[in-house]
Amino acid sequence: MDFKQELKFDFTPDFQDDIIKLVLTHKEGYKLMGYIHPEYFTLTSSALIFEVIDQFYKKDKRVPGQVLLLEKVTKIFRQKEYAKTFDTTEQKEILNKAKILSEGNVRDSDVLIEKAISFAKYVEVTHVLENVDVTNVDDYENLLRSLSKAMTIAR
């Protein structure tokens, strides 16, 4: 799992955690899967928790409940790279955070979903613009197709 530092979610860690909580607890939260990615999160703990959710979703086509989420996070800590990265105290803090995020309800879910999708569009458009040669006239059709695709996320 590679948590790139160059791409960051443009919101506070609390907002980012609300996105995770929304995905885990709201009936419409699963709709953000595929648009939001672990590398968007600024805190390693949030990125790790979302990575677990993302892996589970890709395999089972649903988000995990609290018990399965905690089980999957615990399992990750048994892997060498994570056992070396997080000490026992940090592991407990991440498990506690995962537990808290999988409980209760999120307020303003409609706003959170809208902002998260807008950010996903921003990331895709930025990615397209960074990877195209705007001086190459022959590539303009490709650029327009790619930009159009990026802007139709979640439609």
Side-chain angles (χ1 to χ4, degrees):
M1 184 167 23
D2 181 19
F3 296 116
K4 296 178 183 168
Q5 294 301 315
E6 63 223 33
L7 183 61
K8 295 294 182 193
F9 212 71
D10 197 26
F11 299 103
T12 66
D14 288 338
F15 183 89
Q16 295 170 45
D17 286 346
D18 269 359
I19 294 294
I20 295 172
K21 187 181 205 72
L22 178 91
V23 167
L24 288 170
T25 63
H26 191 273
K27 65 181 180 179
E28 303 290 317
Y30 74 93
K31 292 181 178 179
L32 291 177
M33 300 306 298
Y35 305 121
I36 306 298
H37 304 285
E39 60 269 15
Y40 295 0
F41 295 88
T42 53
L43 298 178
T44 304
S45 58
S46 298
L48 182 123
I49 292 166
F50 196 81
E51 176 68 22
V52 168
I53 297 165
D54 193 46
Q55 287 175 0
F56 189 91
Y57 186 82
K58 286 176 181 172
K59 182 178 178 236
D60 295 327
K61 302 296 181 225
R62 64 186 182 91
V63 296
Q66 185 181 68
V67 172
L68 286 176
L69 175 65
L70 297 176
E71 181 182 302
K72 297 291 184 184
V73 172
T74 300
K75 191 174 182 180
I76 276 192
F77 290 142
R78 291 189 207 124
Q79 297 174 13
K80 279 185 183 180
E81 67 180 286
Y82 295 104
K84 291 178 182 178
T85 304
F86 302 103
D87 64 30
T88 307
T89 303
E90 291 169 320
Q91 290 178 17
K92 286 179 184 176
E93 288 171 359
I94 292 169
L95 282 166
N96 187 51
K97 181 176 186 170
K99 182 177 181 186
I100 290 167
L101 291 175
S102 61
E103 296 174 337
N105 297 314
V106 174
R107 300 181 116 207
D108 306 316
S109 59
D110 56 334
V111 174
L112 286 170
I113 290 171
E114 182 181 308
K115 286 185 178 264
I117 290 172
S118 291
F119 184 73
K121 288 178 184 180
Y122 163 78
V123 169
E124 289 302 314
V125 167
T126 302
H127 179 72
V128 168
L129 293 176
E130 288 173 350
N131 293 298
V132 71
D133 179 8
V134 293
T135 62
N136 182 356
V137 177
D138 296 331
D139 208 23
Y140 283 0
E141 288 296 321
N142 213 12
L143 170 63
L144 290 174
R145 273 192 299 280
S146 297
L147 286 172
S148 178
K149 182 181 175 188
M151 292 307 296
T152 59
I153 287 176
R155 282 192 183 166

